[in-house]
Amino acid sequence: MSGPLSGRTAVVTGGGTGIGRAIADRLLADGARVLTADLAEDGDLSAPDVAETLRDKAIGTFGAVDVLVNNAGGGVIRPTLEHTEQTLRATIDNNLWTTLRCCLAFLPHMRSRRYGRIVNIGAESVRNGLTDHAVYNAAKGGVHGLTTGLAREFATDGITVNVVAPSYTLTPELARALDDGTVPPRLHTVVEDATALIPMARPARVGEIAAAVAYLATDAASFVTGQVLSVNGGSSMC
Ligand SMILES: NC(=O)c1ccc[n+]([C@@H]2O[C@H](COP(=O)([O-])OP(=O)(O)OC[C@H]3O[C@@H](n4cnc5c(N)ncnc54)[C@H](O)[C@@H]3O)[C@@H](O)[C@H]2O)c1
């Protein structure tokens, strides 16, 4: 298939739902071959060795991996003092440890080929301190910090490392959950607060996040590394 990612291969973690699914669809539409990692099928990426197994599966399928999108994540969003040991750990594990472990697993392979595009999904809430997001922001802030450090360390290895930081994004799954009342009532307040912070006065669409990831995955972004690309309707500026 022709397109800006023709001939490239990509792994998208958490690619079965929400933003990750839109990213996988966009990379496919742009010509890449894409492997999505699914929690149920591929395991918990925050645990030791799971990321290495995913890497081996991807190399076994494609021969090599050009693009890694660390999208797996999502937080337990609640007031800080209402977190439990379990929700604190889950929030850090699912967002930071998944990304760290995948980077550690895929970077040696990318370095040996002197080519790689890593795109980590961060969060706008790191910048604007959104309601109930402190613990989640601790994890996503870690992802932002990991990104700049890796970008510098691997800058001469043909590898770029960037963040796409979405503001509140209305995924199909979240829209359904908000409609059918399966989310905690307080989450309605959080999404109202999140929307109020956005000058464009609406949440992002999944395709808008995927478009930013697709750009960073291409050769056109070869001189872009260590950046946080905010896709946020203006909710913070510069
Ligand atoms: N939706 C938003 O408003 C929003 C805003 C900013 C950032 N983000 C980030 O975007 C990414 C996608 O979010 P989404 O809204 O599509 O959520 P989602 O819950 O639909 O998707 C998250 C995916 O990550 C997977 N996952 C989570 N923990 C995992 C683990 N330990 N191992 C393997 N897979 C794991 C889940 O199975 C799921 O497929 C997340 O990193 C999220 O933090 C979302």
Side-chain angles (χ1 to χ4, degrees):
M1 183 185 283
S2 65
L5 291 172
S6 179
R8 295 294 182 196
T9 61
V11 171
V12 181
T13 68
T17 58
I19 293 171
R21 188 184 190 114
I23 293 169
D25 288 347
R26 173 62 194 254
L27 299 186
L28 273 171
D30 284 355
R33 287 179 292 158
V34 180
L35 181 73
T36 57
D38 178 65
L39 182 60
E41 195 180 315
D42 298 292
D44 178 354
L45 285 166
S46 73
D49 303 329
V50 178
E52 282 77 3
T53 303
L54 173 64
R55 175 203 60 207
D56 293 347
K57 180 178 167 182
I59 293 172
T61 306
F62 297 139
V65 177
D66 299 306
V67 179
L68 169 66
V69 182
N70 285 309
N71 164 81
V76 182
I77 304 300
R78 60 174 64 167
T80 304
L81 299 181
E82 293 178 17
H83 270 278
T84 64
E85 179 70 15
Q86 192 271 330
T87 62
L88 290 168
R89 286 195 182 277
T91 304
I92 305 292
D93 282 354
N94 292 341
N95 291 282
L96 182 53
W97 274 101
T98 52
T99 302
L100 178 57
R101 289 204 192 276
C102 287
C103 287
L104 291 172
F106 283 79
L107 273 166
H109 170 69
M110 289 178 166
R111 179 150 69 179
S112 73
R113 298 179 64 236
R114 303 200 60 76
Y115 187 89
R117 293 276 182 276
I118 297 178
V119 184
N120 297 325
I121 304 302
E124 166 70 5
S125 57
V126 171
R127 297 179 74 186
N128 67 20
L130 181 60
T131 312
D132 293 352
H133 274 60
V135 175
Y136 175 76
N137 289 345
K140 287 298 194 189
V143 171
H144 292 204
L146 177 68
T147 299
T148 52
L150 291 180
R152 181 174 294 277
E153 199 172 334
F154 292 89
T156 57
D157 290 308
I159 299 169
T160 65
V161 191
N162 291 287
V163 165
V164 167
S167 64
Y168 165 38
T169 305
L170 190 58
T171 65
E173 292 82 2
L174 181 55
R176 262 195 305 277
L178 289 168
D179 279 350
D180 67 20
T182 52
V183 297
R186 192 173 161 92
L187 200 65
H188 289 274
T189 307
V190 174
V191 299
E192 279 165 23
D193 289 356
T195 310
L197 287 167
I198 300 173
M200 289 190 182
R202 65 166 175 86
R205 303 179 188 110
V206 290
E208 293 169 327
I209 310 305
V213 173
Y215 163 66
L216 291 169
T218 61
D219 288 340
S222 53
F223 205 55
V224 181
T225 196
Q227 304 304 306
V228 176
L229 176 48
S230 301
V231 184
N232 64 11
S235 88
S236 65
M237 298 191 185
C238 289

